[in-house]
Amino acid sequence: MKIGFIGLGNMGAPMALNLVKVGHTLNVFDLNAEAVRTLVEAGARAVPSPRAAATDVECVITMLPAAAHVRQVLTGDEGVLAGIADGVRIIDSSTIDPASARQLAALCEKRGNTFVDAPVSGGTGGAIAGALTFMVGASKDEYEEIVPLLAAMGKNIVHCGETGTGQVAKICNNLVLGVTMAGVAEAMALGDALGIDASVLAGIINTSTGRCWSSDTYNPFPGVIGTAPASRGYTGGFGTDLMLKDLGLATDAAKAARQPAFMGALAQQLYQAMSARGAGRLDFSAIMRLYQADANVVPG
Ligand code: NAD
């Protein structure tokens, strides 16, 4: 299939690489030339704009930081909607608010295109392994048509309901993630301060009732899990500013629904404190450093 892929960051690049690997032909665009180069070396074609990425393709996929970027990439003068043919589907895998997803879907529909929200979870490891979970907001027919394409990038492809419900699932999941990561960091720092070896403590948590992804796969204590960002100075992974954005999406949606989000609001403040100290680009598990009296949040 000929695909336009826009947004080749920590997640988008490995997702696009997996599409190339199974034989799809990709037009790729990103503002970061370095990210584009990696894809071109793998066989993709670099194009100068989102409009060019969407020209003469059967599907467009976007993987961008936030709703403002998706809106700009779709509706800008050199945007996707300026180049796309009628009937071509747009799949947005960025994490954005459900209301924006529904607005963009309505806009695309007016132009004769379908817009599907298909955010993901599984982190950069899942993106590299082609093992992401896709949360799809679309009609059942639309969902069934895109499953084979998404299967090249993910293992668990779930139909959540109509447009926007993929994003609802995603922001609820990340509300849990933001809270559990803060909880695991708090417990690991406490255990360390009280004198237990961090790996022993993590081993206990991971076979006890405290077990969760934030502890057994992505533990924030350096050295506990060799493949986690904590063991490489919190580089790569899922940026603190992206987690802050997602908790903002959750608390805003909660406010609109008049639904309490006590833990989400507190977690949002913790990541905001990280960001304010200059750690916005570090992996979100660097929240560990907020609890370590002897660690600078951003080492100089
Ligand atoms: P990232 O910041 O690493 O990548 C975003 C990419 O978009 C960058 O390469 C940037 O240059 C590009 N970009 C920004 N504006 C652009 C524009 N106008 N035109 C073209 N390219 C543009 O982010 P990421 O970690 O890949 O995350 C992408 C999305 O996926 C976010 O919404 C995030 O919340 C979500 N997500 C991330 C993870 C993770 O573990 N990193 C996991 C699940 C979901």
Side-chain angles (χ1 to χ4, degrees):
M1 188 187 283
K2 287 182 82 175
I3 299 167
F5 201 109
I6 303 163
L8 305 166
N10 289 332
M11 295 295 286
M15 290 165 68
L17 281 170
N18 282 331
L19 291 173
V20 172
K21 269 186 211 154
V22 297
H24 295 297
T25 304
L26 262 60
N27 285 347
V28 292
F29 178 74
D30 193 293
L31 299 176
N32 176 355
E34 187 62 35
V36 173
R37 200 169 310 128
T38 309
L39 260 296
V40 169
E41 279 163 13
R45 173 172 168 258
V47 291
S49 64
R51 174 186 188 149
T55 303
D56 193 24
V57 295
E58 294 154 78
C59 176
V60 173
I61 300 176
T62 49
M63 191 51 169
L64 296 158
H69 306 85
V70 181
R71 195 169 288 114
Q72 166 67 25
V73 158
L74 259 52
T75 63
D77 289 346
E78 285 300 306
V80 166
L81 292 175
I84 200 165
D86 278 3
V88 173
R89 181 180 293 122
I90 299 165
I91 300 174
D92 179 37
S93 284
S94 325
T95 304
I96 69 172
D97 59 292
S100 290
R102 288 175 179 134
Q103 284 160 8
L104 289 167
L107 182 72
C108 291
E109 199 178 330
K110 266 194 211 151
R111 308 281 290 262
N113 301 96
T114 45
F115 174 98
V116 172
D117 51 307
V120 300
S121 84
T124 47
I128 293 165
L132 294 169
T133 290
F134 279 89
M135 303 160 225
V136 181
S139 69
K140 187 83 178 148
D141 289 351
E142 196 68 35
Y143 161 76
E144 274 162 12
E145 281 188 41
I146 64 173
V147 166
L149 175 62
L150 301 185
M153 302 178 281
K155 285 216 174 351
N156 189 21
I157 298 153
V158 182
H159 185 221
C160 298
E162 292 298 322
T163 305
T165 55
Q167 298 293 357
V168 171
K170 175 64 188 174
I171 62 175
C172 291
N173 177 74
N174 277 23
L175 171 60
V176 175
L177 178 62
V179 170
T180 57
M181 184 57 77
V184 170
E186 194 163 300
M188 293 301 298
L190 177 62
D192 185 47
L194 298 178
I196 190 171
D197 177 83
S199 294
V200 173
L201 175 58
I204 294 293
I205 293 172
N206 295 341
T207 50
S208 303
T209 44
R211 181 172 63 84
C212 58
W213 188 88
S214 296
S215 178
D216 71 5
T217 306
Y218 216 82
N219 197 289
F221 200 95
V224 167
I225 292 176
T227 52
S231 297
R232 52 170 193 267
Y234 301 103
T235 55
F238 181 45
T240 293
D241 278 343
L242 289 178
M243 175 52 87
L244 181 57
K245 171 204 63 158
D246 289 358
L247 289 168
L249 298 179
T251 51
D252 285 352
K255 188 174 167 193
R258 301 179 74 82
Q259 181 66 26
F262 307 117
M263 306 297 287
L266 176 55
Q268 183 186 15
Q269 291 302 309
L270 293 172
Y271 293 103
Q272 191 155 297
M274 293 286 300
S275 190
R277 285 163 173 74
R281 294 179 70 86
L282 293 182
D283 181 77
F284 78 114
S285 63
I287 195 167
M288 187 75 224
R289 290 184 174 159
L290 278 187
Y291 292 100
Q292 293 173 307
D294 58 348
N296 292 326
V297 171
V298 185

